[in-house]
Amino acid sequence: MQYQVEINVMPLKELLDPQGKAVEQSLNNLNIHALNVRVGKRIELKIDATSKEEAFELTEQACKKLLYNPVMEFYKITVSEL
Amino acid sequence: MQYQVEINVMPLKELLDPQGKAVEQSLNNLNIHALNVRVGKRIELKIDATSKEEAFELTEQACKKLLYNPVMEFYKITVSEL
């Protein structure tokens, strides 16, 4: 079966996020008062698996081997049936 | 009131996404068979507004003025109360 997977990779809360800070300042210059701006990545994909659990595990492997840097980022996976 | 806002900025479906293609190939090399990989941005922030509707509108302005490129991307906003 095919599953739709969404992965959000965000900078760790304890770390400074310079890109987020830049966006925050630019928004303030536009008179939009935003706080705690964090900029990360979003990856969407389809994956073949026999169950939702397997899809989740495969995605977790993908994150660990390729998609996220544990020193600076954390990830969150959402799996839904197609 | 403060609202938590999440913005997903993804490449338009009609366009090639070279970064997504690269991730797809790398995942296949790791024996994880993913399809239709798309890589975009995710922005999380807090915003001050008097209502959920105002928070949504401010975020939409932020997207149009700063965060997305209409030629290549589309965005999706989620607003939730804190």
Side-chain angles (χ1 to χ4, degrees):
Chain A
M1 239 185 108
Q2 262 195 353
Y3 293 87
Q4 175 68 34
V5 176
E6 283 144 26
I7 309 163
N8 296 327
V9 179
M10 300 299 294
L12 286 171
K13 305 239 183 282
E14 306 83 44
L15 297 183
L16 264 181
D17 173 14
Q19 206 185 347
K21 271 277 164 264
V23 169
E24 196 171 316
Q25 279 183 2
S26 304
L27 287 176
N28 276 306
N29 294 343
L30 293 169
N31 265 319
I32 298 168
H33 300 290
L35 293 165
N36 287 25
V37 183
R38 312 292 285 178
V39 179
K41 277 181 296 186
R42 180 176 172 90
I43 300 135
E44 298 181 354
L45 51 88
K46 288 187 182 58
I47 206 163
D48 277 315
T50 51
S51 68
K52 209 169 167 174
E53 288 70 35
E54 200 201 337
F56 191 90
E57 261 171 51
L58 283 170
T59 310
E60 205 153 48
Q61 275 183 42
C63 286
K64 288 184 179 153
K65 288 183 182 164
L66 188 71
L67 297 172
Y68 101 114
N69 171 2
V71 177
M72 297 173 62
E73 296 166 326
F74 69 98
Y75 62 89
K76 206 179 147 197
I77 299 171
T78 320
V79 179
S80 51
E81 282 175 35
L82 270 179
Chain B
M1 240 184 109
Q2 262 196 352
Y3 293 87
Q4 175 69 32
V5 176
E6 282 145 26
I7 309 162
N8 296 327
V9 180
M10 300 299 293
L12 286 171
K13 306 239 182 282
E14 306 84 44
L15 297 182
L16 264 181
D17 173 14
Q19 206 185 346
K21 271 278 164 263
V23 169
E24 195 170 316
Q25 279 183 2
S26 304
L27 287 176
N28 276 306
N29 294 343
L30 293 169
N31 265 321
I32 298 168
H33 300 291
L35 293 166
N36 287 24
V37 183
R38 312 292 286 176
V39 179
K41 277 180 296 186
R42 179 176 173 91
I43 301 133
E44 299 181 354
L45 52 88
K46 289 188 180 56
I47 206 164
D48 278 316
T50 51
S51 67
K52 208 169 167 174
E53 287 70 34
E54 200 200 337
F56 190 90
E57 261 172 52
L58 282 170
T59 310
E60 204 153 48
Q61 274 183 42
C63 286
K64 288 184 181 155
K65 288 183 182 163
L66 188 70
L67 298 172
Y68 101 113
N69 171 1
V71 177
M72 298 173 62
E73 296 167 326
F74 69 98
Y75 62 88
K76 205 178 149 199
I77 298 171
T78 320
V79 179
S80 52
E81 281 175 34
L82 271 180

